[in-house]
């Protein structure tokens, strides 16, 4: 018997077959729920017959946002396979790590990145390496028919995706995303955002991010709503589309909303259809909140992470100014507590580590039992984020995961960058911190101690990083020191380094 429980696309294809599901702006083509479901069935049938894909097999995709991502993801749901979206901004060295870990049965790549493939050694181990164009025909040909039916029913614990996050140890970890997580994240999101099947948004967050899939895309699919898919962020284009398509909700990081506010189109377009903008990734400055409020669009800030949801906290738009800096309350089906090092709970205004318990917590990291056991105890996920709660129950993030910083919405983990930089024979010690930046929110700054009789210029440093680290991970600033400040435990004191940076900024301004 065909199981619609996990196949939301098939369900809406029966309920509202003629309602628009997705429109891709790049190729100016759109599909109804019924049409896209037929095409997805055909892709599922093709993958099973052509490549013998079965439950649990991984399918990697290396491309910017395209409808091929969506149809492969929904085909995986029908088969029981697992989609692995790869970060197209990573270097071949970084991609090798992810591909070796995921061990996909198929590696699909966009021809835009064809020149990169010979440089990715792990691809040689993949059974089938195919151009993404192979899937295009299922999207664009007129007459697509398929009688595909799943060979078995899938439980809520069946994995549907692996999303890689940079680890604080410098090693990437694959977060397992299950049907259960998608369902409860959608319920939480729908309850807090009042989602309906009439909602429409523009999707431009990259699909290698949980934000690209799970902030709005999968909740919208669950609610029978619609999207316009963009390959990348374009402030002017998005403003135009929001007006033309009467978008109801916008999702972005503060840098994106700043770029949109700076656009000459911002004061010209009619955005009265937009209920509010969902903002994540970093705190949004109050002046920028005011600009959007004056436009009539309320800001709802939140907090989330790939391993939990990601829609974990939401600050109601009415509290955007009164509770500035707050992430609000936990969403409906999420329990939260703030814990001290001795595993006792914090009182109001006391800082501790945020622990979360919910059906949206990941079952773990792909093939990393030790890291999973360290992160989850008795169903509680230890976020590593330091937070506090005020007397009214509003939560505030005090510090991020072990010095992680956010550059243009991208999580950057200094440990990963430092691990690579130590491969340079001239470097004795190095520490990377996030420092304020007007455009990107934060950027990296590297403090370097050279080995005796070694030489390295700032230009040499940047050249060494190019091609080995994604551009957003390469520190914008480099400063050479005779020694790095240490704390009483002998560890590098990054707070002192940040003070050093801020003091140098203040001196240059005076």
């Amino acid at each position: 018997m065909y199981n619609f429980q996990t196949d939301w696309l098939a369900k809406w294809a029966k309920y509202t077959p003629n309602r628009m599901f997705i429109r891709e702006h790049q190729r100016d083509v759109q599909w109804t729920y019924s049409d896209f479901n037929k095409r997805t069935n055909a892709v599922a049938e093709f993958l099973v017959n052509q490549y013998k894909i079965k439950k649990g097999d991984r399918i990697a995709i290396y491309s910017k946002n395209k409808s091929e991502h969506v149809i492969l993801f929904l085909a995986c749901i029908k088969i029981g396979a697992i989609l692995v979206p790869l970060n197209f901004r990573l270097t071949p060295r970084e991609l090798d790590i992810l591909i070796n870990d995921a061990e996909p049965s198929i590696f699909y790549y966009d021809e835009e990145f064809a020149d990169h493939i010979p440089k990715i050694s792990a691809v040689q181990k993949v059974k089938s390496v195919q151009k993404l164009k192979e899937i295009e025909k299922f999207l664009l040909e007129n007459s697509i028919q398929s009688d595909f039916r799943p060979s078995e029913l899938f439980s809520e614990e069946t994995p549907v995706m692996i999303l890689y996050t940079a680890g604080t140890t410098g090693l990437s970890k694959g977060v397992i995303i299950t049907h259960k997580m998608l369902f409860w994240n959608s319920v939480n999101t729908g309850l807090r955002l009042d989602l309906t099947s009439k909602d429409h948004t523009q999707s431009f967050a990259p699909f290698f991010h949980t934000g690209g899939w799970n902030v709005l895309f999968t909740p919208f699919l669950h609610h029978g709503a619609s999207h316009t898919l963009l390959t990348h962020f374009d402030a002017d284009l998005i403003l135009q589309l929001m007006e033309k398509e009467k978008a109801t909700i916008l999702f972005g990081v503060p840098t994106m909303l700043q770029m949109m506010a700076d656009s000459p189109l911002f004061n010209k377009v009619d955005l009265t259809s937009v209920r509010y903008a969902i903002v994540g990734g970093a705190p949004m400055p109050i002046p920028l909140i005011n600009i959007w409020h004056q436009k009539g669009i309320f800001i709802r800030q939140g907090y989330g992470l790939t391993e939990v949801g990601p829609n974990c906290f939401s600050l109601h738009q009415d509290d955007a100014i009164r509770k500035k800096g707050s992430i609000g309350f936990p969403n409906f089906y999420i329990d939260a507590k703030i814990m001290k090092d001795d595993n006792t709970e914090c009182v109001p205004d006391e800082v501790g580590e945020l622990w979360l318990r919910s059906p949206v917590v990941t079952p773990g990291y792909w093939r990393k039992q030790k890291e999973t056991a360290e992160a989850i105890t008795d169903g509680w996920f230890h976020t590593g984020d330091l937070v506090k709660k005020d007397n009214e129950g509003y939560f505030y993030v005090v510090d991020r995961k072990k010095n992680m910083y956010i550059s243009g919405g991208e999580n950057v983990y200094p440990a990963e960058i430092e691990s690579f930089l130590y491969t340079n024979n001239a470097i004795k010690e190095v520490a990377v911190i996030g420092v304020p930046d007007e455009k990107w929110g934060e950027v990296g700054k590297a403090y370097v101690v050279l080995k005796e009789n070694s030489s390295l210029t700032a230009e040499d440093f940047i050249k060494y990083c190019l091609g080995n680290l994604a551009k957003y991970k390469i520190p914008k600033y480099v400063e050479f020191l005779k020694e790095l400040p240490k704390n009483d435990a002998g560890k590098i004191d990054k707070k002192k380094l940040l003070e050093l940076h801020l003091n140098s900024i203040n001196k240059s301004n005076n």
Side-chain angles (χ1 to χ4, degrees):
M1 185 177 180
Y2 192 36
N3 178 27
F4 285 112
Q5 187 177 14
T6 57
D7 193 345
W8 301 342
L9 176 66
K11 200 75 168 179
W12 284 111
K14 290 188 70 175
Y15 285 169
T16 56
N18 298 320
R19 181 188 294 153
M20 189 184 89
F21 166 49
I22 187 171
R23 173 183 171 268
E24 187 188 292
H25 180 76
Q26 183 182 26
R27 289 180 283 208
D28 192 20
V29 60
Q30 66 183 49
W31 301 271
T32 64
Y33 272 94
S34 176
D35 189 27
F36 207 84
N37 185 54
K38 291 176 184 176
R39 294 173 185 277
T40 304
N41 282 334
V43 171
E45 185 175 33
F46 172 76
L47 293 172
V48 170
N49 293 338
Q50 181 73 19
Y51 299 112
K52 310 304 178 188
I53 295 298
K54 61 186 184 303
K55 180 181 178 182
D57 287 346
R58 276 78 63 203
I59 297 176
I61 178 169
Y62 180 43
S63 168
K64 292 181 180 177
N65 283 18
K66 282 191 167 184
S67 300
E68 283 84 347
H69 277 87
V70 180
I71 204 166
L72 282 170
F73 170 57
L74 296 174
C76 282
I77 284 178
K78 294 175 183 286
I79 300 168
I82 303 171
L83 189 71
V84 185
L86 297 172
N87 185 342
F88 56 81
R89 297 171 182 164
L90 298 182
T91 65
R93 181 189 70 85
E94 294 165 316
L95 287 167
D96 277 336
I97 297 170
L98 307 192
I99 296 166
N100 282 326
D101 186 59
E103 292 187 323
S105 298
I106 307 177
F107 178 93
Y108 277 113
Y109 68 93
D110 195 343
E111 289 184 73
E112 178 183 357
F113 301 108
D115 292 345
H116 298 190
I117 303 307
K119 303 172 187 175
I120 307 172
S121 59
V123 169
Q124 299 172 13
K125 304 175 187 176
V126 180
K127 189 185 302 181
S128 184
V129 179
Q130 301 295 333
K131 294 178 181 177
L132 196 57
K133 199 169 185 66
E134 180 177 75
I135 301 299
E136 185 181 51
K137 63 183 179 183
F138 295 99
L139 289 164
L140 301 183
E141 288 184 4
N142 291 328
S143 56
I144 296 290
Q145 296 293 331
S146 172
D147 295 325
F148 178 81
R149 293 291 185 271
S151 59
E152 60 178 299
L153 304 182
F154 305 118
S155 77
E156 61 180 10
E157 302 294 348
T158 302
V160 296
M161 190 179 291
I162 296 172
L163 291 173
Y164 279 94
T165 65
T168 55
T169 61
L171 297 174
S172 294
K173 295 182 288 187
V175 180
I176 299 169
I177 309 295
T178 65
H179 285 293
K180 181 180 179 180
M181 291 176 68
L182 295 185
F183 174 80
W184 286 104
N185 179 66
S186 175
V187 172
N188 277 329
T189 307
L191 287 171
R192 293 307 298 273
L193 302 185
D194 301 322
L195 297 184
T196 76
S197 58
K198 295 180 180 179
D199 278 315
H200 181 79
T201 191
Q202 287 74 34
S203 294
F204 47 84
F207 277 145
F208 57 78
H209 263 200
T210 186
W213 291 105
N214 299 323
V215 171
L216 290 179
F217 195 92
T218 51
F220 268 45
L221 168 61
H222 192 205
H223 287 79
S226 61
H227 315 256
T228 291
L229 181 63
L230 304 174
T231 57
H232 63 282
F233 175 77
D234 181 326
D236 290 350
L237 175 61
I238 292 164
L239 287 169
Q240 291 170 334
L241 290 176
M242 287 171 68
E243 178 182 50
K244 180 181 178 181
E245 300 176 350
K246 299 191 184 307
T248 57
I249 297 177
L250 167 69
F251 164 65
V253 300
T255 302
M256 293 174 175
L257 270 72
Q258 182 67 65
M259 291 178 180
M260 293 170 75
D262 291 340
S263 167
L265 293 177
F266 185 73
N267 292 322
K268 298 177 182 178
V269 293
D270 179 0
L271 302 182
T272 53
S273 63
V274 181
R275 295 204 300 279
Y276 31 71
I278 310 303
V279 180
M284 188 157 166
I286 297 299
L288 185 56
I289 292 176
N290 288 332
I291 289 172
W292 281 85
H293 279 193
Q294 289 164 11
K295 183 70 176 173
I297 298 176
F298 294 107
I299 299 298
R300 292 194 64 140
Q301 297 199 82
Y303 165 94
L305 58 166
T306 308
E307 294 92 336
V308 188
N311 300 327
C312 302
F313 283 76
S314 182
L315 179 69
H316 194 273
Q317 60 266 27
D318 291 349
D319 293 320
I321 302 299
R322 186 176 74 90
K323 291 292 184 179
K324 62 182 181 180
S326 172
I327 57 174
F329 300 119
N331 282 339
F332 209 86
Y333 291 102
I334 292 181
D335 295 326
K337 60 183 179 181
I338 305 172
M339 303 298 289
K340 292 188 263 189
D341 290 340
D342 61 4
N343 285 346
T344 59
E345 203 160 347
C346 294
V347 299
D349 290 324
E350 190 173 16
V351 176
E353 183 184 11
L354 178 64
W355 289 17
L356 300 173
R357 182 177 64 184
S358 170
V360 297
V361 171
T362 180
Y365 297 109
W366 178 255
R367 293 177 171 171
K368 286 182 169 53
Q369 293 184 352
K370 179 175 178 290
E371 289 85 345
T372 298
E374 289 172 349
I376 306 171
T377 56
D378 297 325
W380 288 94
F381 183 82
H382 304 196
T383 67
D385 287 333
L386 298 177
V387 304
K388 64 180 180 179
K389 182 170 62 173
D390 66 19
N391 286 319
E392 293 182 70
Y394 288 78
F395 283 70
Y396 296 78
V397 176
V398 176
D399 200 0
R400 301 192 188 99
K401 294 179 182 178
K402 299 185 178 181
N403 305 312
M404 178 194 89
Y405 62 92
I406 300 175
S407 186
E410 296 280 1
N411 290 354
V412 184
Y413 291 87
E416 180 191 17
I417 301 169
E418 292 160 358
S419 177
F420 166 72
L421 291 174
Y422 274 116
T423 64
N424 188 307
N425 292 328
I427 294 177
K428 178 184 178 182
E429 278 190 313
V430 61
V432 177
I433 62 171
V435 298
D437 184 80
E438 188 171 331
K439 181 175 182 180
W440 301 112
E442 291 174 295
V443 294
K445 181 170 185 176
Y447 285 94
V448 180
V449 176
L450 297 178
K451 293 178 182 176
E452 193 173 354
N453 300 322
S454 293
S455 63
L456 189 74
T457 66
E459 185 179 2
D460 293 333
F461 179 96
I462 299 299
K463 284 182 179 178
Y464 190 75
C465 294
L466 287 170
N468 288 300
L469 291 172
K471 286 185 179 180
Y472 66 85
K473 297 179 184 177
I474 297 175
K476 184 176 180 179
Y477 306 106
V478 186
E479 186 170 336
F480 296 90
L481 299 176
K482 290 184 177 179
E483 62 178 339
L484 297 181
K486 308 288 198 311
N487 60 22
D488 292 338
K491 295 181 180 180
I492 296 171
D493 191 337
K494 292 194 173 182
K495 288 185 178 179
K496 287 278 178 66
L497 290 176
L498 181 58
E499 289 174 12
L500 190 65
H501 171 78
L502 296 175
N503 287 337
S504 66
I505 295 297
N506 291 333
K507 286 181 181 178
S508 63
N509 290 337
N510 291 335

Coordinates of all heavy atoms in Angstrom, one line a residue, residues 91 93-94 169-170 413-425 427 430 461-470 473-475:
T91 N 36.6 24.1 -1.3 CA 37.7 23.8 -2.2 C 37.8 22.2 -2.4 O 37.1 21.5 -1.7 CB 39.1 24.2 -1.6 OG1 39.3 23.4 -0.4 CG2 39.1 25.7 -1.3
R93 N 40.0 20.1 -1.7 CA 40.5 19.5 -0.5 C 39.4 19.3 0.5 O 39.3 18.2 1.2 CB 41.7 20.3 0.1 CG 42.3 19.7 1.4 CD 43.3 20.7 2.0 NE 42.6 21.8 2.6 CZ 42.1 21.8 3.8 NH1 42.2 20.8 4.6 NH2 41.5 22.9 4.3
E94 N 38.6 20.3 0.7 CA 37.5 20.3 1.7 C 36.4 19.3 1.2 O 35.8 18.6 2.1 CB 36.9 21.7 1.9 CG 37.9 22.6 2.6 CD 37.5 24.1 2.5 OE1 37.1 24.5 1.4 OE2 37.6 24.8 3.5
T169 N 36.2 21.2 16.1 CA 37.5 20.5 16.2 C 38.2 20.7 14.9 O 39.4 20.2 14.7 CB 37.4 19.0 16.5 OG1 36.6 18.4 15.4 CG2 36.7 18.8 17.8
G170 N 37.6 21.3 13.9 CA 38.2 21.5 12.6 C 37.7 20.4 11.6 O 38.1 20.5 10.4
Y413 N 34.3 28.3 11.7 CA 34.9 27.8 12.9 C 36.4 27.9 12.8 O 37.1 27.3 12.0 CB 34.5 26.3 13.0 CG 33.1 26.1 13.4 CD1 32.1 26.0 12.4 CD2 32.7 26.0 14.7 CE1 30.8 25.8 12.7 CE2 31.3 25.8 15.0 CZ 30.4 25.7 14.0 OH 29.1 25.5 14.3
P414 N 37.0 28.8 13.7 CA 38.4 29.1 13.6 C 39.3 27.8 13.7 O 40.3 27.7 13.1 CB 38.6 30.0 14.8 CG 37.3 30.7 15.0 CD 36.3 29.7 14.6
A415 N 38.8 26.8 14.4 CA 39.6 25.6 14.6 C 39.9 24.9 13.3 O 41.0 24.4 13.0 CB 38.9 24.6 15.5
E416 N 38.9 24.9 12.4 CA 39.1 24.3 11.0 C 40.1 25.1 10.3 O 41.0 24.5 9.6 CB 37.8 24.3 10.3 CG 37.8 23.7 8.9 CD 36.6 24.0 8.1 OE1 35.8 24.9 8.4 OE2 36.5 23.3 7.0
I417 N 40.1 26.4 10.3 CA 41.0 27.3 9.6 C 42.4 27.1 10.2 O 43.4 26.9 9.5 CB 40.6 28.7 9.6 CG1 39.2 28.9 9.0 CG2 41.6 29.6 8.9 CD1 38.6 30.2 9.2
E418 N 42.5 27.1 11.5 CA 43.8 27.0 12.2 C 44.5 25.6 11.9 O 45.7 25.6 11.7 CB 43.6 27.2 13.7 CG 43.2 28.6 14.1 CD 42.6 28.6 15.5 OE1 42.4 27.6 16.1 OE2 42.2 29.8 15.9
S419 N 43.6 24.6 11.8 CA 44.2 23.3 11.5 C 44.8 23.3 10.2 O 45.9 22.6 10.0 CB 43.0 22.3 11.6 OG 43.5 21.0 11.2
F420 N 44.2 23.9 9.2 CA 44.9 24.0 7.9 C 46.1 24.9 7.9 O 47.2 24.5 7.3 CB 43.9 24.6 6.8 CG 44.5 25.0 5.6 CD1 45.0 24.0 4.7 CD2 44.7 26.3 5.3 CE1 45.7 24.4 3.5 CE2 45.4 26.7 4.1 CZ 45.8 25.7 3.2
L421 N 46.1 26.0 8.6 CA 47.2 26.9 8.6 C 48.5 26.3 9.2 O 49.6 26.7 8.8 CB 46.8 28.2 9.3 CG 45.8 29.1 8.6 CD1 45.4 30.3 9.5 CD2 46.3 29.6 7.3
Y422 N 48.3 25.4 10.1 CA 49.4 24.7 10.7 C 50.2 23.8 9.7 O 51.3 23.3 10.0 CB 49.0 23.9 12.0 CG 49.0 24.8 13.2 CD1 47.8 25.0 13.9 CD2 50.1 25.4 13.7 CE1 47.7 25.8 15.0 CE2 50.1 26.2 14.9 CZ 48.9 26.4 15.5 OH 48.9 27.2 16.6
T423 N 49.6 23.6 8.6 CA 50.3 22.9 7.5 C 51.4 23.7 6.8 O 52.2 23.2 6.1 CB 49.4 22.3 6.5 OG1 48.7 23.4 5.8 CG2 48.3 21.4 7.1
N424 N 51.4 25.0 7.1 CA 52.4 25.9 6.6 C 53.6 25.9 7.5 O 53.6 26.2 8.7 CB 51.9 27.4 6.5 CG 52.8 28.3 5.8 OD1 54.0 28.4 6.1 ND2 52.3 29.0 4.8
N425 N 54.8 25.5 6.9 CA 56.0 25.2 7.7 C 56.6 26.5 8.3 O 57.4 26.4 9.2 CB 57.1 24.6 6.8 CG 56.7 23.2 6.4 OD1 56.0 22.5 7.1 ND2 57.1 22.8 5.2
I427 N 54.7 28.7 10.0 CA 53.9 29.1 11.1 C 54.2 28.3 12.4 O 54.0 27.0 12.3 CB 52.4 29.0 10.7 CG1 52.1 30.1 9.6 CG2 51.5 29.3 11.9 CD1 50.7 30.0 9.1
V430 N 49.2 30.0 15.5 CA 48.2 30.8 14.8 C 46.9 30.8 15.6 O 46.5 29.7 16.2 CB 48.0 30.4 13.4 CG1 47.5 29.0 13.3 CG2 47.1 31.3 12.6
F461 N 50.5 34.7 3.1 CA 49.5 34.1 3.9 C 48.2 33.9 3.1 O 47.7 32.8 3.1 CB 49.3 34.9 5.1 CG 48.3 34.4 6.1 CD1 48.6 33.6 7.2 CD2 46.9 34.6 5.9 CE1 47.7 33.1 8.0 CE2 45.9 34.1 6.7 CZ 46.3 33.3 7.8
I462 N 47.8 34.9 2.5 CA 46.5 34.9 1.7 C 46.7 33.9 0.5 O 45.7 33.1 0.3 CB 46.1 36.3 1.2 CG1 45.9 37.2 2.4 CG2 44.8 36.2 0.3 CD1 44.8 36.8 3.4
K463 N 47.8 34.0 -0.2 CA 48.0 33.1 -1.3 C 48.0 31.6 -0.8 O 47.5 30.7 -1.6 CB 49.4 33.4 -1.9 CG 49.4 34.6 -2.8 CD 50.7 34.8 -3.5 CE 50.7 36.1 -4.3 NZ 52.1 36.3 -4.9
Y464 N 48.5 31.3 0.3 CA 48.5 30.0 0.9 C 47.1 29.5 1.1 O 46.8 28.3 0.9 CB 49.3 29.9 2.2 CG 49.6 28.5 2.7 CD1 50.6 27.7 2.0 CD2 48.9 28.0 3.7 CE1 50.8 26.5 2.5 CE2 49.2 26.7 4.2 CZ 50.1 26.0 3.6 OH 50.4 24.7 4.0
C465 N 46.2 30.4 1.5 CA 44.8 30.0 1.8 C 44.0 29.8 0.5 O 43.1 28.9 0.4 CB 44.2 31.1 2.6 SG 44.8 31.2 4.3
L466 N 44.3 30.6 -0.5 CA 43.5 30.6 -1.7 C 43.6 29.2 -2.4 O 44.7 28.6 -2.6 CB 44.0 31.6 -2.7 CG 43.7 33.1 -2.4 CD1 44.5 34.0 -3.3 CD2 42.2 33.3 -2.5
G467 N 42.4 28.7 -2.7 CA 42.3 27.3 -3.3 C 42.3 26.2 -2.3 O 42.0 25.1 -2.7
N468 N 42.6 26.5 -1.0 CA 42.5 25.5 0.0 C 41.4 25.7 1.0 O 41.0 24.8 1.7 CB 43.9 25.4 0.7 CG 45.0 24.8 -0.1 OD1 44.9 23.7 -0.6 ND2 46.0 25.6 -0.4
L469 N 41.0 27.0 1.1 CA 39.9 27.3 2.0 C 38.8 28.1 1.2 O 39.2 28.8 0.3 CB 40.3 28.2 3.2 CG 41.3 27.6 4.2 CD1 41.8 28.7 5.1 CD2 40.5 26.5 5.0
A470 N 37.6 27.8 1.5 CA 36.5 28.6 0.9 C 36.8 30.1 1.1 O 37.3 30.5 2.2 CB 35.2 28.2 1.4
K473 N 36.0 31.7 4.4 CA 36.8 31.3 5.5 C 38.2 31.9 5.6 O 38.8 31.9 6.7 CB 37.0 29.7 5.5 CG 35.7 28.9 5.6 CD 36.0 27.5 5.5 CE 34.8 26.6 5.4 NZ 35.1 25.2 5.3
I474 N 38.7 32.5 4.5 CA 40.0 33.1 4.5 C 40.0 34.4 5.3 O 39.2 35.3 5.1 CB 40.4 33.4 3.1 CG1 40.5 32.1 2.3 CG2 41.8 34.1 3.1 CD1 40.9 32.3 0.8
P475 N 40.9 34.5 6.3 CA 40.9 35.7 7.2 C 41.1 36.9 6.3 O 41.9 36.9 5.4 CB 42.1 35.4 8.1 CG 42.1 33.9 8.2 CD 41.8 33.4 6.8

